[in-house]
Amino acid sequence: MQYFPPALENLVEQFAKLPGVGVKSAQRLAFYVLSMPDDEANAFAQAVISAKTTIHCCPVCQNLTDGDGPCSICASPKRDQSTICVVADPKDVAAMERSREYQGLYHVLHGVISPMSHVGPDDLHIKSLVERVAAGGIEEVIMATNPDTEGEATAMYLSRLLRP
């Protein structure tokens, strides 16, 4: 028995695909969107579409950037160009930047090595990191992956690749 119109069911299903959102939360979000004024609902939908079409990976560090050029961190002449901090995800860059302590560059892997999840080195942005380091000018690489099994495995794998 179908309780809601198909469009509402579809909206609930789409919200339920988000991490940490169960069916009840998805229903609550769907009903909230339906109760929004049309202009707010359209602005919400447009924000999702805009983010998906304009945000790309920085060609240098693989962090998220607006457009095709380098991100603001890679483009900044004030950053220490001799240090790279390797992180798993773009949200890790945001966390590091909130501290306002680190002034070097970043490299975002977009994941960690996880055999249980079928994620290997070829699934990550490792090749571009190795190329950056091999190009010269990098004096220090800081491994800032989580200290869990996958993060440590990734750090160890990279340390073997990047040793002079």
Side-chain angles (χ1 to χ4, degrees):
M1 178 184 214
Q2 192 174 21
Y3 294 108
F4 304 121
L8 180 55
E9 290 283 351
N10 184 34
L11 185 57
V12 169
E13 288 174 16
Q14 297 310 310
F15 275 123
K17 290 179 181 177
L18 296 172
V21 178
V23 175
K24 286 185 179 182
S25 293
Q27 286 176 350
R28 197 170 17 259
L29 291 168
F31 280 113
Y32 180 78
V33 169
L34 287 178
S35 72
M36 295 169 81
D38 287 348
D39 58 330
E40 287 183 26
N42 286 329
F44 178 77
Q46 188 56 46
V48 172
I49 292 167
S50 177
K52 284 296 292 176
T53 57
T54 63
I55 296 174
H56 302 286
C57 287
C58 171
V60 178
C61 71
Q62 309 306 317
N63 192 15
L64 300 179
T65 187
D66 203 9
D68 296 327
C71 68
S72 59
I73 295 172
C74 288
S76 173
K78 296 179 181 179
R79 305 300 289 221
D80 177 1
Q81 303 289 314
S82 68
T83 305
I84 296 177
C85 179
V86 179
V87 296
D89 296 302
K91 65 183 179 196
D92 299 328
V93 172
M96 293 285 290
E97 286 297 292
R98 277 192 301 271
S99 75
R100 300 187 189 271
E101 295 294 322
Y102 178 70
Q103 294 301 312
L105 302 175
Y106 293 94
H107 190 86
V108 182
L109 298 173
H110 290 272
V112 290
I113 296 171
S114 177
M116 297 295 286
S117 300
H118 306 290
V119 178
D122 293 339
D123 300 314
L124 306 176
H125 291 273
I126 292 174
K127 182 180 178 192
S128 55
L129 172 63
V130 172
E131 290 170 354
R132 283 177 76 186
V133 173
I138 304 300
E139 296 174 14
E140 181 179 19
V141 177
I142 302 166
M143 304 305 290
T145 55
N146 285 332
D148 58 12
T149 305
E150 290 88 1
E152 289 294 318
T154 304
M156 289 180 64
Y157 178 82
L158 290 174
S159 68
R160 279 183 267 155
L161 278 181
L162 299 174
R163 283 213 172 112

